[in-house]
Amino acid sequence: MTADICVMVPTIRNHECMRSYFQNARDHGFDLDRLFVVLITEDFCDTDAMEQMLDEEGVEGAVYDGTARETWFADHGASEYAHLIPEASHAQTSFGLLYMWANDYEYGVFIDDDTLPHEDADFFGTHMENLAFEGEIETVSSDEQWVNVLYQNEDEHGLYPRGYPYAAMDETVSTAATQVDDVVASQGLWTNVPDLDAVRILMDGDLQGQAQTRTSAEDFGEDFVAAEGQYLTVCSMNLAFRREVIPAFYQLPMDENEWDVGRFDDIWSGVFLKRACDVLGKQIYNGDPLCEHNKAPRSTFSDLTNEVHGLELNEHVWEIVDEAGADADSYAGVFEDIATAMSEGDFSDWENGAFVNYCGEFMLDWLACLDELENAATEQVPAAADD
């Protein structure tokens, strides 16, 4: 079978985690021939060991460190866009998106290297079922226009995920049944270490970056979608999506910027995607398949250093997004309207507001890069022979 799923894994520590995902596929009868795995890493990592792991598992894939990424851009005539991918940053997942776009895979899956699949669930199969789902599902909303993806047991654990605005806390939650028929992203949630920001981890009394409060499968109920006009945090540690969303799903240039803003790449990309979904009548499915998040101990204050420069911006970026793209008829159109609003706006009242302008410029370059890759692919298709 030809591979139709591009699996993207940013990794510098534990590429071996993928063996568990491959074994999960075998245990549940999922065809590994459907997968092409892109390991996104750095020049200081052992790429030979990564390639050997893929060979031993019998799974097709490729390994891209910084040097290999530069070569890839050059080979595709897109070297002027290499700046879109930051070094030593989780936002390198955007390279996976470019690879997927250039190679025309139908589905993408993001996996973080500090996660493991739950043995009792078909990880890849469940994501594919979610993307194909049509029918009745729970829809969630709140009076703050934000949905806490951990809402189902929030009264017990009190958790809000990384990226959830502080101003939207203590919301009143409403649920109802709705019909969905066009799911474009499937967000699997996580047990063990919850995905919290550093401020919330400190409030939970943990100095090792992990949070003392843990989640289990019992904290999650029925799968759900966030209602139209509502936003939610989208974490890329366990996420599947359709190729069509890539123009509106750029993982922003975090960590190496002059403002030292980090840790909001997937969060803000999720806000962009949700806006595009609302405009275009699409849905983001949330819940299963769960993964086990085994975040390694590290200084909570180190995470705080990476996050604090963007905390105020995170309270407001979604408001910019919510006012853009209403008349667009494509993912690229919605994203371009958002990018223009961000690149041209005056955000000087916010700490590090110029970073929003910086992101907007990168977002416009993202769309140009996708066009360049698509045009290059079209030019490589041989013309049909005359009869």
Side-chain angles (χ1 to χ4, degrees):
M1 183 176 185
T2 302
D4 63 340
I5 303 170
C6 186
V7 181
M8 293 150 275
V9 188
T11 180
I12 60 173
R13 297 182 184 88
N14 183 31
H15 62 274
E16 291 285 323
C17 77
M18 292 307 299
R19 295 188 190 272
S20 295
Y21 284 95
F22 301 147
Q23 188 58 50
N24 176 275
R26 296 186 190 98
D27 291 344
H28 292 276
F30 188 87
D31 188 355
L32 283 169
D33 288 343
R34 294 187 64 183
L35 307 184
F36 187 92
V37 178
V38 179
L39 300 178
I40 307 161
T41 188
E42 298 295 342
D43 287 343
F44 58 79
C45 294
D46 189 347
T47 56
D48 289 341
M50 296 180 186
E51 292 171 351
Q52 182 178 348
M53 181 272 293
L54 293 174
D55 288 342
E56 290 173 356
E57 293 290 333
V59 178
E60 292 295 315
V63 181
Y64 283 91
D65 58 15
T67 300
R69 290 194 294 274
E70 289 181 7
T71 301
W72 187 90
F73 275 105
D75 289 345
H76 287 79
S79 291
E80 65 181 298
Y81 299 109
H83 66 283
L84 289 169
I85 312 302
E87 294 184 6
S89 170
H90 186 271
Q92 289 174 343
T93 46
S94 281
F95 176 77
L97 295 178
L98 294 179
Y99 188 95
M100 178 179 167
W101 186 259
N103 290 280
D104 206 25
Y105 292 102
E106 185 174 357
Y107 305 103
V109 177
F110 284 150
I111 295 175
D112 275 6
D113 70 357
D114 60 357
T115 66
L116 293 172
H118 282 215
E119 293 181 358
D120 60 350
D122 179 356
F123 180 82
F124 294 108
T126 301
H127 271 309
M128 293 301 107
E129 290 172 4
N130 293 347
L131 291 174
F133 179 81
E134 296 181 1
E136 187 174 277
I137 193 172
E138 184 169 80
T139 181
V140 188
S141 61
S142 85
D143 57 344
E144 297 289 353
Q145 212 176 334
W146 271 84
V147 170
N148 176 2
V149 297
L150 302 177
Y151 81 94
Q152 289 165 325
N153 204 18
E154 192 272 332
D155 288 343
E156 181 68 24
H157 54 57
L159 298 176
Y160 286 87
R162 176 178 56 90
Y164 190 97
Y166 284 87
M169 293 173 62
D170 300 320
E171 75 284 11
T172 299
V173 177
S174 300
T175 63
T178 191
Q179 292 285 326
V180 302
D181 59 8
D182 204 342
V183 174
V184 295
S186 167
Q187 177 173 212
L189 300 176
W190 7 265
T191 60
N192 194 28
V193 181
D195 183 33
L196 310 182
D197 69 24
V199 174
R200 291 181 170 107
I201 292 173
L202 287 173
M203 295 298 292
D204 198 44
D206 192 290
L207 301 183
Q208 298 300 309
Q210 295 182 310
Q212 294 187 12
T213 300
R214 301 299 172 93
T215 54
S216 67
E218 288 68 35
D219 288 308
F220 303 98
E222 296 298 317
D223 298 341
F224 63 94
V225 297
E228 182 177 335
Q230 298 278 316
Y231 292 90
L232 75 166
T233 56
V234 174
C235 172
S236 63
M237 78 167 76
N238 173 13
L239 186 75
F241 50 91
R242 295 182 181 274
R243 181 181 187 274
E244 66 191 66
V245 310
I246 290 176
F249 203 38
Y250 175 46
Q251 316 285 289
L252 292 165
M254 296 287 161
D255 301 305
E256 64 178 19
N257 56 80
E258 65 180 89
W259 301 269
D260 294 325
V261 178
R263 303 259 296 163
F264 291 100
D265 48 310
D266 51 353
I267 299 301
W268 292 357
S269 74
V271 172
F272 306 149
L273 178 59
K274 184 55 164 67
R275 177 58 175 164
C277 286
D278 287 350
V279 171
L280 301 174
K282 314 289 186 175
Q283 291 90 26
I284 301 172
Y285 190 111
N286 305 276
D288 287 331
L290 302 176
C291 73
E292 180 183 308
H293 183 208
N294 300 308
K295 183 180 178 183
R298 65 184 186 226
S299 170
T300 306
F301 296 102
S302 177
D303 276 355
L304 181 62
T305 298
N306 291 331
E307 295 167 0
V308 69
H309 305 289
L311 284 176
E312 183 178 9
L313 300 180
N314 188 60
E315 297 292 313
H316 300 289
V317 164
W318 73 273
E319 297 169 336
I320 305 169
V321 174
D322 194 50
E323 295 181 355
D327 297 327
D329 59 4
S330 66
Y331 291 98
V334 175
F335 196 70
E336 183 175 11
D337 284 354
I338 296 170
T340 300
M342 290 175 61
S343 65
E344 298 180 356
D346 179 5
F347 310 112
S348 56
D349 288 343
W350 307 335
E351 182 179 9
N352 298 321
F355 180 66
V356 178
N357 305 121
Y358 177 82
C359 287
E361 293 168 1
F362 271 65
M363 291 159 67
L364 292 171
D365 284 350
W366 175 254
L367 292 173
C369 182
L370 295 179
D371 286 344
E372 185 71 29
L373 293 174
E374 195 160 51
N375 291 337
T378 301
E379 292 171 1
Q380 291 173 6
V381 175
D386 293 335
D387 291 333

